[in-house]
C-alpha cells in the first residue's frame, strides 16, 4: 500500500465507527453478530463520516485538502481577502489562501501531536517537580541530595 499515512487513516475511520457501533449493540443491546442494532441503525441514518486526518509530519489527507480547497475558494471570492494577499484574481487568491491554510494547519498538527506526546510522557514519567522532590528525598552515601543541574540529572524533552 503506497498511500500516505494520513490517507490510510482517513480510509479506516468510517469502518471503525461501524465496528464500534456493532460492538456496542452486541454488548449493551443484546444484538446478535450479523444483525443490525439500534446504534448502528442510527449511525447508518447519518451521512458517512468525513474524516480529517493529519500525519506525523504535518501532511494532510484528501479530505483535509478538499476542505482547504473549498474554504480557500470561499475566502478568495471576497475582495478584501484578495487585497490582503495582494492578489489580482480569484484563482490566484485561492492558491495563496490554500497554501497558507495548508501550511498553518500542518504546523498546528505537528505542534499538537508533540504536545500530546509530552503530556503522555508526564503521566508515564511524572512531572519535573515530582521528579525533583523524589530525588531530593534520596541521599547519596555522602549524605548530600542527588540533585544535579536544572533537571536533576533527568534528560530534557526536546
Amino acid at each position: 500500500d503506497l498511500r500516505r499515512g494520513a490517507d490510510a487513516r482517513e480510509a479506516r475511520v468510517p469502518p471503525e465507527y461501524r465496528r464500534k457501533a456493532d460492538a456496542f449493540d452486541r454488548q449493551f443491546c443484546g444484538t446478535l453478530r450479523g444483525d443490525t442494532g439500534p446504534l448502528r441503525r442510527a449511525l447508518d441514518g447519518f451521512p458517512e463520516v468525513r474524516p480529517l486526518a493529519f500525519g506525523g509530519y504535518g501532511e494532510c489527507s484528501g479530505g483535509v485538502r478538499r476542505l482547504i480547497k473549498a474554504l480557500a475558494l470561499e475566502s478568495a471570492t471576497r475582495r478584501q481577502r484578495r487585497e490582503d494577499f495582494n492578489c489580482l484574481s480569484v484563482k490566484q487568491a485561492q492558491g495563496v489562501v490554500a497554501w497558507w491554510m495548508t501550511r498553518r494547519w500542518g504546523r498546528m498538527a505537528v505542534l499538537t501531536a508533540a504536545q500530546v506526546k509530552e503530556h503522555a510522557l508526564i503521566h508515564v514519567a511524572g512531572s519535573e517537580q515530582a521528579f525533583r522532590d523524589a530525588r531530593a528525598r534520596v541521599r547519596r552515601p555522602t549524605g548530600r541530595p542527588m540533585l544535579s543541574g536544572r533537571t536533576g540529572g533527568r534528560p530534557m524533552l526536546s
Side-chain angles (χ1 to χ4, degrees), residues 3-83:
R3 289 185 297 180
R4 291 189 286 193
D7 289 325
R9 175 65 183 136
E10 180 183 63
R12 288 193 313 262
V13 170
E16 191 175 289
Y17 272 44
R18 289 189 290 273
R19 276 193 309 276
K20 287 182 179 185
D22 289 340
F24 180 91
D25 285 337
R26 280 194 304 276
Q27 183 176 357
F28 297 106
C29 301
T31 306
L32 298 174
R33 189 174 292 273
D35 289 345
T36 304
L39 184 62
R40 175 64 185 271
R41 278 194 301 275
L43 180 64
D44 290 343
F46 292 109
E48 186 171 273
V49 173
R50 293 187 181 176
L52 304 175
F54 290 88
Y57 297 103
E59 71 275 16
C60 56
S61 66
V64 175
R65 289 190 299 276
R66 286 188 296 275
L67 177 62
I68 286 175
K69 186 176 180 179
L71 291 172
L73 178 61
E74 182 63 31
S75 180
T77 58
R78 296 191 181 110
R79 191 180 107 251
Q80 182 61 45
R81 178 62 67 190
R82 288 193 305 274
E83 291 173 0

Side-chain angles (χ1 to χ4, degrees), residues 116-128:
V116 167
K117 288 175 186 171
E118 183 178 22
H119 187 71
L121 283 173
I122 287 172
H123 286 289
V124 171
S127 68
E128 287 292 329

Side-chain angles (χ1 to χ4, degrees), residues 83-101:
E83 291 173 0
D84 289 345
F85 283 107
N86 198 25
C87 296
L88 302 174
S89 68
V90 171
K91 184 117 175 123
Q92 184 183 23
Q94 182 183 7
V96 170
V97 171
W99 169 83
W100 180 82
M101 289 177 77

